[in-house]
């Protein structure tokens, strides 16, 4: 661990109920984010000034595509070796045709659906990798909890986490993971 490590705990909590949308309205995502905030502050010692909330509740900054990506970028910029970063997303997820990078074995990118998806578009797994995962400094512990459909590979990482609700937990390398895909993405970032 570096001597200049800040050992800060930072969090980005996103809850999207899609308030005012004609369809796809959810009801518990704000509560998920607010409950998670209370939990990480009370149990894990996160300080309020290091917790960012994006909610479509009219009181917080809205979880637009731009705000979400900018919040991830800010986490990356502010975090140093020794820090812990926690990201929580509660909202719709989806999948769409691969963006022609050709790295998706199933031909689909997994997506997050921001509140303004109709005008701004979706957030692809490639965007999350390029914005949050790849540029995160070495020595930062990043934990993400994505409570949405199609979230299993949303960060394009080679790990599989399984919890069956009975206390059986397994985190392992996905034997079917295409490492060529990961190396191709990393290579694109350096090109």
């Amino acid at each position: 661990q570096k001597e200049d490590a800040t050992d800060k705990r930072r969090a980005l909590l996103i809850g999207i109920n899609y308030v005012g949308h004609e369809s796809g309205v959810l009801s518990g995502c704000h509560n998920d984010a607010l409950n998670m905030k209370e939990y990480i502050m009370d149990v894990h010692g996160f300080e309020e000034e290091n917790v960012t909330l994006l909610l479509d509740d009219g009181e917080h900054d809205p979880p637009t595509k731009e705000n979400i990506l900018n919040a991830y970028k800010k986490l990356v910029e502010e975090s140093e070796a020794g820090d812990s970063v926690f990201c929580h997303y509660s909202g719709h997820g989806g999948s769409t045709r691969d963006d022609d990078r050709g790295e998706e074995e199933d031909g689909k990118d997994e997506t997050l659906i921001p509140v303004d998806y109709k005008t701004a578009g979706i957030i692809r797994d490639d965007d999350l990798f390029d914005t949050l995962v790849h540029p995160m400094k070495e020595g930062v512990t990043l934990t993400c909890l994505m409570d949405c459909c199609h979230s299993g590979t949303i960060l394009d990482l080679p790990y599989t986490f399984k919890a069956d609700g009975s206390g059986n937990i397994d985190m392992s390398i996905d034997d079917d993971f295409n490492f060529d895909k990961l190396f191709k993405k990393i290579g694109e970032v350096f090109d």
Side-chain angles (χ1 to χ4, degrees):
Q1 201 171 26
K2 292 172 57 174
E3 287 183 29
D4 59 346
T6 63
D7 295 321
K8 290 225 181 202
R9 295 177 180 169
R10 294 182 174 81
L12 171 59
L13 312 175
I14 302 166
I16 312 174
N17 281 346
Y18 304 90
V19 174
H21 287 236
E22 292 178 19
S23 62
V25 175
L26 299 173
S27 60
C29 299
H30 296 164
N31 288 338
D32 290 345
L34 293 169
N35 288 337
M36 189 60 71
K37 178 184 176 191
E38 183 178 334
Y39 170 74
I40 64 172
M41 288 176 65
D42 291 351
V43 176
H44 295 285
F46 282 72
E47 296 176 8
E48 180 133 22
E49 63 267 16
N50 294 325
V51 177
T52 300
L53 275 171
L54 298 179
L55 304 173
D56 59 334
D57 63 356
E59 296 176 28
H60 297 85
D61 288 335
T64 62
K65 181 177 182 177
E66 180 179 26
N67 285 350
I68 291 170
L69 291 174
N70 284 340
Y72 284 137
K73 287 175 187 173
K74 183 178 179 189
L75 280 176
V76 169
E77 290 168 4
E78 292 180 346
S79 297
E80 299 292 336
D83 291 355
S84 296
V85 174
F86 179 73
C87 297
H88 177 256
Y89 175 90
S90 182
H92 284 301
S95 64
T96 190
R97 188 176 62 79
D98 182 24
D99 60 2
D100 298 326
R101 287 188 183 185
E103 84 285 1
E104 297 291 346
E105 207 167 293
D106 65 355
K108 295 183 178 182
D109 281 330
E110 287 67 45
T111 64
L112 299 182
I113 313 296
V115 71
D116 62 342
Y117 71 94
K118 289 182 182 179
T119 56
I122 56 178
I123 299 173
R124 293 176 182 267
D125 52 10
D126 300 325
D127 301 326
L128 288 173
F129 184 87
D130 294 343
T131 303
L132 178 64
V133 177
H134 181 264
M136 190 61 77
K137 295 174 188 85
E138 185 176 339
V140 175
T141 300
L142 173 62
T143 304
C144 296
L145 174 59
M146 303 298 197
D147 183 4
C148 58
C149 292
H150 304 282
S151 63
T153 59
I154 194 72
L155 296 176
D156 280 348
L157 296 175
Y159 305 101
T160 301
F161 176 82
K162 293 181 182 174
D164 67 7
S166 301
N168 297 317
I169 298 173
D170 179 57
M171 175 109 123
S172 58
I173 294 287
D174 180 354
D175 292 331
D176 297 324
F177 186 80
N178 180 354
F179 279 91
D180 291 337
K181 171 181 86 166
L182 179 64
F183 297 140
K184 184 176 180 181
K185 278 187 172 188
I186 292 170
E188 288 173 2
V189 173
F190 290 109
D191 286 344

